[in-house]
């Protein structure tokens, strides 16, 4: 390639991008309707796509930022998360601001007519099912074969009603767009269903893999089936399952985000357990409770739980104890469990203190489960190990053992008997 061609190639690429951008701003073919309202909206869309109204250079827009570097800068400077997927945000940079429902594609509009007709049919089925439920509730239990049979029938009918609500909106492209943009209302069954499905496709698989790899099951609990998503963050740092966390960061209590996928408010208990506390006398390991709180209300829309913001006495029974490990000991697994309190009942602090043992190094999670019959719905874990800041953290928290170091016992050599060398001559 000649030197002139090498010099003009970047200029040609720049001109090509600018021509493409100007071409995208030219109004395309008109839609199917020509009402005055749509014409006015089209003119507003054209004016909004004018380069003069675009955000100035240097200002990051969460709707159109698409590079990983700018995404990190947006979160670092403004604290806002990018909206939707990266592919969507990259497409919006050069597209006209046309409402999603009025995209001028004939196949798309015809498909929406079919989906709207199917939704109308599902809405009729929902109304019919509601009438059946009301009719069943009015029938005396004796005519239904008893209270147990009546309640079972009503539960099955309620489940079928929730299924119809999901089927009515599952194919709506507007619903899917709002969910991908993070604008879904978790009070609606369809958004809870989509969020649950997305969580089970990847994040739950990773969580279960970490639980099995690090032997949380069966070292702490014999069985665990997470049904709620639990996210962990120390300040502005999000912690992935099984990640090592510096002792200086984990010195303060974290914030949890507990996302449940079934409707209604419920009370949960949160506990943090370390099952890797060395016991020199027994040459084994004990469990230590680092945090215990009860009667914490959560719902599909109220998910944030700041462990440092819970009330002492009524909710927090054991305050946050910074994770720590002595020098030379293996890494410690810090398991966070979220228990749903059965039937939404309120637990008494005195009862918990009487059942749980007094010493923190003797805490048994299985004993708590056996006495209250509560089931774990969510779990998270991280790891801690001795580092340069661990001694200061233990000193500030009043924890003894910072000057202790564990060393592996060297194996004893087998007795060696020198053989007579004459036999080898």
């Amino acid at each position: 390639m000649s030197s002139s061609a090498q010099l003009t190639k970047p200029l040609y690429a720049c001109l090509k991008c600018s021509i493409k951008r100007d071409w995208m701003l030219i109004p395309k073919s008109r839609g199917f309707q020509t009402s005055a309202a749509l014409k006015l909206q089209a003119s507003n869309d054209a004016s909004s796509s004018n380069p003069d109204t675009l955000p100035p250079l240097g200002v990051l827009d969460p709707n159109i930022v698409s590079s990983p570097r700018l995404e990190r800068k947006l979160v670092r400077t403004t604290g806002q998360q990018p909206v939707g997927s990266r592919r969507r945000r990259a497409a919006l940079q050069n597209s006209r601001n046309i409402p999603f429902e009025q995209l001028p594609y004939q196949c798309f509009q015809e498909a929406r007519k079919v989906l709207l007709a199917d939704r109308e049919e599902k809405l009729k089925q929902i109304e019919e099912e509601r009438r059946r439920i009301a009719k069943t509730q009015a029938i005396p239990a004796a005519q239904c074969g008893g209270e147990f049979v009546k309640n079972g029938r009503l539960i099955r009918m309620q489940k079928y009603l929730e299924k119809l609500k999901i089927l009515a909106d599952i194919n709506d492209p507007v619903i899917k767009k709002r969910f991908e943009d993070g604008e879904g209302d978790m009070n609606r069954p369809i958004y809870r269903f989509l969020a649950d499905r997305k969580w089970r496709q990847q994040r739950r698989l990773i969580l279960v893999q970490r639980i099995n790899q690090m032997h949380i099951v069966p070292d702490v609990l014999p069985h665990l089936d997470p049904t709620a998503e639990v996210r962990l963050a120390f300040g502005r740092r999000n912690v992935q399952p099984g990640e090592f966390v510096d002792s200086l960061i984990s010195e303060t209590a974290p914030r949890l985000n507990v996302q449940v996928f079934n409707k209604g408010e419920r009370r949960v208990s949160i506990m943090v357990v370390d099952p890797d506390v060395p016991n020199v006398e027994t040459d084994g390991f004990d469990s230590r409770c680092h945090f215990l709180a009860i009667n914490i209300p959560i719902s599909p829309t109220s998910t944030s739980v700041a462990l440092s913001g819970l009330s002492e006495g009524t909710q927090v029974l054991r305050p946050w104890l910074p994770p720590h490990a002595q020098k030379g000991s293996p890494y410690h697994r810090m398991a966070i469990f979220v228990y749903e309190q059965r039937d939404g009942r309120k637990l008494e602090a005195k009862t918990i203190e009487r059942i749980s043992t007094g010493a923190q190094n003797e805490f048994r999670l299985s004993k708590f489960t056996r006495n209250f019959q509560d089931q774990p719905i969510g779990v998270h874990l991280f790891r801690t190990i001795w580092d340069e800041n661990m001694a200061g953290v233990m000193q500030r928290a009043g924890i003894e053992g910072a000057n202790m170091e564990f060393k592996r016992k060297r194996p004893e050599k087998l007795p060696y008997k020198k053989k007579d060398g004459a036999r080898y001559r």
Side-chain angles (χ1 to χ4, degrees):
M1 183 182 294
S2 62
S3 59
S4 59
Q6 293 179 356
L7 294 174
T8 56
K9 187 176 180 180
L11 180 61
Y12 173 74
C14 181
L15 292 174
K16 185 178 179 181
C17 293
S18 62
I19 293 173
K20 180 180 178 181
R21 180 177 177 87
D22 295 339
W23 179 81
M24 293 297 295
L25 297 176
I26 299 175
K28 303 292 190 302
S29 59
R30 62 180 181 84
F32 294 106
Q33 301 179 4
T34 57
S35 60
L38 292 179
K39 287 182 178 180
L40 179 61
Q41 186 172 7
S43 62
N44 293 336
D45 295 340
S47 62
S48 63
S49 62
N50 193 343
D52 297 336
T53 61
L54 293 176
L57 294 177
V59 178
L60 298 178
D61 188 356
N63 293 301
I64 61 175
V65 61
S66 59
S67 66
R69 181 181 62 84
L70 294 180
E71 290 175 2
R72 292 192 296 268
K73 183 178 179 181
L74 174 68
V75 175
R76 185 175 63 254
T77 56
T78 64
Q80 297 180 350
Q81 293 291 337
V83 178
S85 62
R86 184 179 297 168
R87 182 176 60 181
R88 171 187 174 275
R89 285 180 264 114
L92 285 177
Q93 293 179 359
N94 296 324
S95 64
R96 295 180 298 157
N97 192 16
I98 301 176
F100 187 74
E101 300 85 352
Q102 300 177 9
L103 291 176
Y105 305 113
Q106 185 174 3
C107 182
F108 176 77
Q109 297 295 343
E110 293 296 328
R112 289 195 70 241
K113 292 179 182 179
V114 176
L115 297 177
L116 290 175
D118 179 74
R119 188 175 188 277
E120 292 295 332
E121 182 181 353
K122 293 295 189 298
L123 292 178
K124 294 179 181 179
Q125 295 180 10
I126 290 173
E127 294 298 329
E128 180 64 25
E129 191 66 21
R130 285 175 176 170
R131 286 194 293 267
R132 291 180 56 196
I133 292 175
K135 184 178 179 181
T136 305
Q137 290 175 345
I139 298 176
Q143 298 181 10
C144 298
E147 191 70 26
F148 181 78
V149 177
K150 179 181 178 180
N151 291 336
R153 184 180 301 175
L154 287 174
I155 290 175
R156 290 192 297 269
M157 296 173 71
Q158 287 288 351
K159 288 183 178 179
Y160 181 66
L161 178 62
E162 294 297 321
K163 182 179 179 180
L164 288 177
K165 292 179 181 179
I166 294 173
L167 293 176
D169 296 326
I170 190 65
N171 295 318
D172 192 348
V174 179
I175 294 290
K176 293 184 178 181
K177 175 182 178 297
R178 290 175 182 171
F179 175 74
E180 292 179 359
D181 294 348
E183 301 175 355
D185 183 8
M186 294 300 288
N187 286 320
R188 298 183 59 179
I190 180 62
Y191 290 114
R192 295 198 299 269
F193 172 79
L194 293 175
D196 186 22
R197 185 174 66 178
K198 182 179 179 180
W199 173 60
R200 291 179 180 273
Q201 286 177 350
Q202 183 181 14
R203 291 196 294 268
R204 186 182 184 276
L205 298 177
I206 297 176
L207 176 64
V208 173
Q209 182 190 48
R210 298 292 188 272
I211 292 173
N212 294 329
Q213 283 181 342
M214 301 179 187
H215 305 287
I216 297 298
V217 176
D219 289 355
V220 184
L221 286 178
H223 176 71
L224 187 60
D225 183 22
T227 58
E229 182 181 10
V230 180
R231 297 188 180 185
L232 175 68
F234 287 95
R236 300 179 64 177
R237 178 186 174 183
N238 297 322
V239 179
Q240 300 300 321
E243 184 180 355
F244 279 99
V245 179
D246 188 88
S247 60
L248 199 61
I249 297 177
S250 61
E251 184 177 6
T252 58
R255 175 182 293 273
L256 298 182
N257 189 288
V258 184
Q259 179 64 66
V260 292
F261 303 106
N262 47 357
K263 66 177 181 179
E265 184 175 300
R266 76 287 321 270
R267 291 189 177 96
V268 298
S269 303
I270 298 177
M271 53 204 70
V272 183
V273 181
D274 178 8
D276 300 321
V277 182
N279 191 330
V280 181
E281 297 178 357
T282 61
D283 195 17
F285 295 93
D286 294 335
S287 295
R288 177 170 55 217
C289 181
H290 284 253
F291 183 82
L292 177 60
I294 59 175
N295 303 327
I296 304 172
I298 62 171
S299 65
T301 56
S302 178
T303 61
S304 181
V305 180
L307 301 188
S308 60
L310 301 177
S311 60
E312 296 283 345
T314 57
Q315 290 182 322
V316 178
L317 304 184
R318 293 187 180 180
W320 179 257
L321 180 67
H324 55 277
Q326 281 81 12
K327 186 176 182 180
S329 64
Y331 64 79
H332 289 221
R333 299 165 295 175
M334 306 300 300
I336 303 173
F337 296 95
V338 179
Y339 275 76
E340 182 177 359
Q341 298 173 193
R342 189 177 58 178
D343 301 329
R345 71 184 188 279
K346 189 174 182 180
L347 300 179
E348 296 294 336
K350 296 181 180 180
T351 308
I352 303 293
E353 290 292 344
R354 185 174 63 253
I355 292 178
S356 60
T357 56
Q360 285 186 330
N361 288 9
E362 300 175 1
F363 184 81
R364 291 291 181 269
L365 194 61
S366 57
K367 187 176 181 180
F368 178 88
T369 307
R370 183 172 59 255
N371 284 275
F372 292 98
Q373 300 298 320
D374 295 338
Q375 297 298 325
I377 61 173
V379 64
H380 204 286
L381 73 151
F382 65 96
R383 291 180 287 177
T384 185
I385 197 170
W386 174 269
D387 54 28
E388 58 184 4
N389 301 314
M390 186 68 71
V393 171
M394 296 177 68
Q395 183 179 3
R396 287 189 293 270
I399 303 172
E400 299 179 355
N403 56 352
M404 183 185 301
E405 181 178 357
F406 287 92
K407 293 185 178 180
R408 294 185 179 273
K409 184 185 296 185
R410 299 184 64 178
E412 298 180 359
K413 294 184 178 180
L414 295 175
Y416 177 73
K417 182 178 180 181
K418 187 176 181 180
K419 296 182 180 181
D420 185 11
R423 61 185 294 187
Y424 298 107
R425 293 178 184 173

